[in-house]
Amino acid sequence: MSSSSTTPQATVHGYPRQGPNRELKKAIEGYWAGRVSAEVLRVTAADLRRDNWHRLAEAGVTEVPTGDFSLYDHVLDATVAVGAIPPRHRAAVAADPLDGYFAMARGTQDVAPLEMTKWFDTNYHYLVPELGPDTVFAANSTKAVAELREALALGHRGRPVLLGPVSYLLLAKPAPGVAADFQPITLLDRLLPVYAELLADLRAAGAEWVQLDEPALVQDRTPAELNAAARAYRELGAVTDRPKLLIASYFDRLGKALPVLAKAPIEGLALDFTGPAAANLDDLAAVGGLPGKRLVAGVVDGRNIWINDLEKSLSTLAVLLGLADRVDVAPSCSLLHVPLDADRERDLDPQVARWLAFARQKAAEAALLARGLGEGASAITAELAANRADLASRAASALTYDPAVRARTAATTAADARRAQAYPERAEAQRTRLGLPLLPTTTIGSFPQTPELRTARADLRAGRIDAAAYRERMEAEVREVIAYQEKAGLDVLVHGEPERNDMVQYFAEQLTGYLATRHGWVQSYGTRYVRPPVLAGDISRPEPMTTDWYRYAQGLTDRPVKGMLTGPVTMLAWSFVRDDQPLAETARQVALALRDEVTDLEAAGAAVIQVDEPALRETLPLRAADRAAYLAWATEAFRLATSAVRADTQIHTHMCYAEFGAIMTAIDDLDADVISLEAARSHMQVAGELAEAGYPREVGPGVWDIHSPRVPSTEEAAGLLRAGLAAIPAERLWVNPDCGLKTRGWSETRASLGHLVAAAREVRAELTG
């Protein structure tokens, strides 16, 4: 195949939505609170889109994405675009589309929201479509057309982005009341005409290309699902009045789906060539390339924040030039998963800052690579030299290598990662020490992070108060939280974590090898943004991190207070992790640092220590063949952190907002004494899965969905608890919310926890007569 005669261009799949100062978050939350009008919210969103497109064009991106911008979630946007509104939300959407949209995302006091789960193996959460045999689809192109027209009016070449029909159906679940074995993919023939109508509307609005994202095709797919993909693009490709179609995949190699899409009557394919998806290069050559098609080559890592190895990427691109008629350059996926601009991180050492590339820098890297591909490496000689120097600086830095840490990890043995006693012996010792009632009640860890707490933290950073004054404010909050829990009747208490800015960042700031950013915000879901730390070097714990707060809280009550830590896998998954050594090695380093903290908490008197691993499931490799190795080191790291304690010290862990069925064996391998999991939105589905898997330890399936402002009634919580009891014996069942309460307000927290405790007492009375 001859090389492309078309000059390579730079593009991106999507871009961060929040704005440089999280303007979108503030506007949306202001709208929810009644402080901001719908018109002001609309204008704020339009201004952010305009600025994003301008920045991309300024960086050298010649084709900008449209429609990727969302007020809450792009999968929810797809649900609106295809008219798949759940029946319980139709009246609200008809009365006010904006309020109805947010009701689907967050629920109301009377109507439950859509279920939320992790977007593939990222820390982004999407709202799961609810479909059934009676679902009727209807095209609604209003948002997609309006945002395309905005870009065109500003002089940009816009490419609308939609979630593809196959991935939309594969990401959906049976609606409430629909048989659990219903497969949404069976609705494909009903959905395709709706997509054809959306494409026609976009073509009429001026779209030359439309990007249809099909990330679900990088997972293991059955022959029937691959046939569905072939049929979908055979039919959409045959639509006459449509734009050119660019089918985008990312996060892993396409595998068996690659020849399906390569043969489809579409005009372009976007492939990821980073990490495990680098296998796409050989696979593409094996299928004969993409003759007559456009290839958008994702050679810039869209999920991590390290600078690109430009020479390596140019080498990959040079090979790809012989495999397609047109090769353009892009990040590997939407830049939604990285912060906005590394140039704002002025607190970092300038040399270290040169190792980092956020969304703006990644767009510029794609543009630079397109130029180098089109004009030759000699056109970017100076940039390549600077890139080589920065890569060498990182490799040689003392930050990245600590001989003492390496020696300790090398000396660990299999015995270090196993409790000395089997679970039955531990359980008896823990029951004797703790003396808890049947169906013990607790919370997951955090209590509301009020504006006053955030103000105190900001005042400390700005120097308006000193450390002693800050400590006094935090202690006052701990006293209030402990007193409230005692009055509410909770059995195992927490100190509420008022001093913690984030469950990962708080620890990262106290461990060597981590770097903190000031403006590195990334969307987790809706208006919830996190600031992942940068794991840049070898990890150790210079001094205790939480024992002082534990002692203070435990000194206020006779009831047990949990020591609260974040587990090693989550410390990796919710950080931007180093890419210069195996993840397993980094996980062991973090686990050993946490092991020291666990033993210090036990020595301080903690009878219950919780080590949260909400990211264990989300980090699961997308391909089944890669999972065993990951789960082996991930569960080993957890056990390494938690196995040095006595038999009567109870180890808890927590997981939330993921599909747990695929990791039941791994959950058992953690060997935690108690696990709490999200279960309210899924109506206790996980309790049945644990029972079916024969899980032998104690379980706390959540009875309060804390990601919704709804206050569940006592009857609702009791109903969920009874459903849990149908799967888990009462002697092994705990009662708790789905997750921490950081994002909730005090009024709903008091009401909801009051109902939770009342439900536990009601069901306990039923059991004990």
Side-chain angles (χ1 to χ4, degrees):
M1 188 182 304
S2 62
S3 296
S4 169
S5 59
T6 303
T7 301
Q9 305 293 309
T11 188
V12 301
H13 295 308
Y15 205 67
R17 304 156 179 166
Q18 68 265 28
N21 296 302
R22 292 181 292 161
E23 290 87 349
L24 185 62
K25 169 186 172 70
K26 296 168 187 175
I28 293 172
E29 292 180 351
Y31 177 76
W32 293 341
R35 299 189 304 268
V36 169
S37 68
E39 177 61 17
V40 169
L41 175 57
R42 185 195 66 78
V43 171
T44 300
D47 288 346
L48 290 171
R49 288 192 293 270
R50 180 198 63 215
D51 292 347
N52 284 350
W53 293 327
H54 173 74
R55 293 292 188 187
L56 287 170
E58 191 176 57
V61 171
T62 54
E63 183 184 60
V64 300
T66 69
D68 62 303
F69 188 95
S70 179
L71 294 178
Y72 203 97
D73 168 46
H74 58 274
V75 182
L76 180 59
D77 295 344
T79 290
V80 174
V82 301
I85 310 300
R88 65 185 182 279
H89 288 290
R90 287 175 188 164
V93 171
D96 187 310
L98 183 59
D99 287 344
Y101 175 88
F102 287 132
M104 286 189 286
R106 306 172 70 231
T108 67
Q109 186 53 43
D110 300 318
V111 182
L114 294 170
E115 183 179 339
M116 186 164 63
T117 196
K118 296 293 175 71
W119 176 247
F120 297 92
D121 57 349
T122 76
N123 189 33
Y124 179 80
H125 303 65
Y126 76 94
L127 290 157
V128 183
E130 297 177 354
L131 306 177
D134 298 330
T135 298
V136 176
F137 298 110
N140 179 352
S141 63
T142 303
K143 176 183 183 294
V145 166
E147 293 180 15
L148 171 64
R149 285 175 172 161
E150 285 179 24
L152 296 176
L154 292 167
H156 300 291
R157 187 152 57 95
R159 184 185 71 249
V161 179
L162 299 171
L163 182 60
V166 179
S167 288
Y168 180 78
L169 295 175
L170 291 173
L171 292 169
K173 62 173 289 185
V178 173
D181 60 355
F182 173 75
Q183 297 183 15
I185 194 67
T186 59
L187 300 175
L188 182 63
D189 290 338
R190 197 180 304 176
L191 182 60
L192 289 177
V194 173
Y195 268 82
E197 187 174 344
L198 293 172
L199 292 173
D201 289 350
L202 288 167
R203 178 66 181 136
E208 179 186 1
W209 287 85
V210 167
Q211 175 181 319
L212 295 178
D213 284 356
E214 291 288 6
L217 295 181
V218 305
Q219 297 173 297
D220 296 316
R221 289 298 165 201
T222 65
E225 290 166 342
L226 293 173
N227 287 338
R231 188 169 78 255
Y233 288 104
R234 185 169 60 247
E235 293 191 17
L236 290 178
V239 173
T240 55
D241 188 20
R242 64 165 178 82
K244 296 176 183 176
L245 296 182
L246 175 70
I247 310 306
S249 68
Y250 36 82
F251 299 150
D252 210 321
R253 59 196 183 277
L254 265 176
K256 293 179 180 179
L258 179 55
V260 171
L261 295 179
K263 292 186 292 185
I266 58 174
E267 288 74 30
L269 191 59
L271 295 175
D272 183 349
F273 292 98
T274 66
N280 275 328
L281 181 60
D282 289 340
D283 292 349
L284 186 61
V287 300
L290 299 175
K293 288 183 170 64
R294 174 190 185 187
L295 172 64
V296 174
V299 294
V300 174
D301 189 346
R303 296 180 56 176
N304 214 330
I305 46 72
W306 305 108
I307 57 171
N308 187 262
D309 184 334
L310 296 178
E311 290 182 327
K312 181 179 178 182
S313 293
L314 279 176
S315 176
T316 298
L317 291 166
V319 175
L320 292 172
L321 272 180
L323 294 174
D325 281 16
R326 171 183 172 184
V327 176
D328 292 331
V329 185
S332 59
C333 61
S334 171
L335 295 174
L336 172 71
H337 306 290
V338 295
L340 193 58
D341 186 3
D343 288 345
R344 299 189 69 194
E345 301 301 329
R346 298 184 180 93
D347 293 342
L348 293 176
D349 179 291
Q351 183 56 62
V352 172
R354 289 185 61 83
W355 305 344
L356 306 181
F358 293 177
R360 285 189 65 184
Q361 289 72 36
K362 289 181 182 294
E365 286 179 335
L368 182 66
L369 287 166
R371 181 182 164 206
L373 183 63
E375 301 176 22
S378 60
I380 56 171
T381 300
E383 291 90 342
L384 291 175
N387 179 248
R388 280 194 301 273
D390 290 336
L391 293 170
S393 165
R394 180 184 168 206
S397 171
L399 174 66
T400 64
Y401 187 85
D402 183 333
V405 172
R406 300 294 175 113
R408 188 182 182 192
T409 56
T412 59
T413 67
D416 293 326
R418 289 291 178 189
R419 297 283 290 270
Q421 304 83 13
Y423 171 69
E425 180 183 347
R426 303 197 312 257
E428 184 62 33
Q430 292 158 17
R431 291 190 186 102
T432 300
R433 181 181 183 185
L434 293 170
L436 298 173
L438 198 66
L439 305 180
T441 56
T442 190
T443 65
I444 302 305
S446 61
F447 265 67
Q449 284 274 327
T450 63
E452 292 78 14
L453 291 176
R454 293 190 179 97
T455 297
R457 196 170 293 120
D459 287 346
L460 178 65
R461 285 197 304 267
R464 292 186 289 268
I465 61 174
D466 61 16
Y470 177 74
R471 173 84 187 194
E472 183 178 339
R473 293 189 190 185
M474 297 302 107
E475 287 182 349
E477 182 70 14
V478 172
R479 291 194 297 273
E480 180 179 348
V481 167
I482 293 291
Y484 163 73
Q485 291 174 92
E486 287 191 318
K487 183 178 179 180
L490 289 159
D491 298 305
V492 176
L493 312 187
V494 297
H495 81 287
E497 306 176 12
E499 80 288 1
R500 302 187 187 184
N501 43 15
D502 175 83
M503 66 181 290
V504 171
Q505 184 182 350
Y506 176 78
F507 295 100
E509 290 173 349
Q510 300 181 75
L511 295 169
T512 64
Y514 270 101
L515 306 173
T517 67
R518 183 172 289 255
H519 303 286
W521 297 103
V522 177
Q523 186 181 18
S524 179
Y525 64 87
T527 61
R528 168 75 169 141
Y529 288 83
V530 295
R531 214 165 12 134
V534 178
L535 200 167
D538 287 344
I539 301 298
S540 63
R541 186 201 69 149
E543 59 187 22
M545 301 179 287
T546 65
T547 53
D548 194 29
W549 286 109
Y550 165 75
R551 287 191 186 97
Y552 180 77
Q554 187 64 77
L556 299 171
T557 181
D558 293 330
R559 300 181 190 182
V561 175
K562 289 193 278 191
M564 298 296 306
L565 304 173
T566 301
V569 176
T570 301
M571 288 295 297
L572 267 62
W574 292 1
S575 302
F576 291 116
V577 68
R578 62 190 301 179
D579 58 356
D580 59 347
Q581 70 178 16
L583 281 175
E585 176 67 17
T586 307
R588 287 189 193 96
Q589 293 180 4
V590 177
L592 288 169
L594 292 172
R595 183 184 181 94
D596 294 340
E597 189 72 14
V598 168
T599 55
D600 281 349
L601 281 167
E602 183 183 56
V608 181
I609 301 171
Q610 183 169 309
V611 181
D612 290 343
E613 282 292 22
L616 182 71
R617 171 62 179 84
E618 80 181 44
T619 315
L620 188 71
L622 298 178
R623 295 281 183 180
D626 302 325
R627 292 175 180 173
Y630 158 73
L631 290 172
W633 67 253
T635 54
E636 179 201 54
F638 180 88
R639 296 193 309 271
L640 187 60
T642 57
S643 289
V645 296
R646 301 190 309 264
D648 63 352
T649 298
Q650 191 171 72
I651 296 294
H652 287 224
T653 192
H654 170 68
M655 299 180 188
C656 57
Y657 290 94
E659 302 292 335
F660 300 111
I663 61 165
M664 283 297 164
T665 300
I667 290 175
D668 190 19
D669 286 345
L670 294 176
D671 199 24
D673 300 304
V674 181
I675 184 169
S676 56
L677 306 108
E678 175 274 327
R681 284 198 188 189
S682 60
H683 309 289
M684 287 287 160
Q685 175 182 332
V686 70
E689 292 173 342
L690 286 166
E692 185 177 345
Y695 186 74
R697 300 175 189 84
E698 297 180 32
V699 181
V703 298
W704 167 26
D705 172 18
I706 68 89
H707 290 287
S708 167
R710 293 183 66 249
V711 174
S713 66
T714 298
E715 293 74 20
E716 182 179 342
L720 286 171
L721 187 50
R722 293 185 188 100
L725 282 166
I728 307 294
E731 295 76 18
R732 293 196 285 112
L733 196 67
W734 286 63
V735 186
N736 46 259
D738 274 346
C739 201
L741 308 178
K742 177 179 180 178
T743 61
R744 300 272 55 91
W746 262 108
S747 61
E748 61 199 280
T749 294
R750 290 189 180 95
S752 298
L753 285 179
H755 296 165
L756 180 151
V757 172
R761 289 172 175 165
E762 177 181 313
V763 177
R764 187 183 300 138
E766 295 170 2
L767 294 171
T768 59

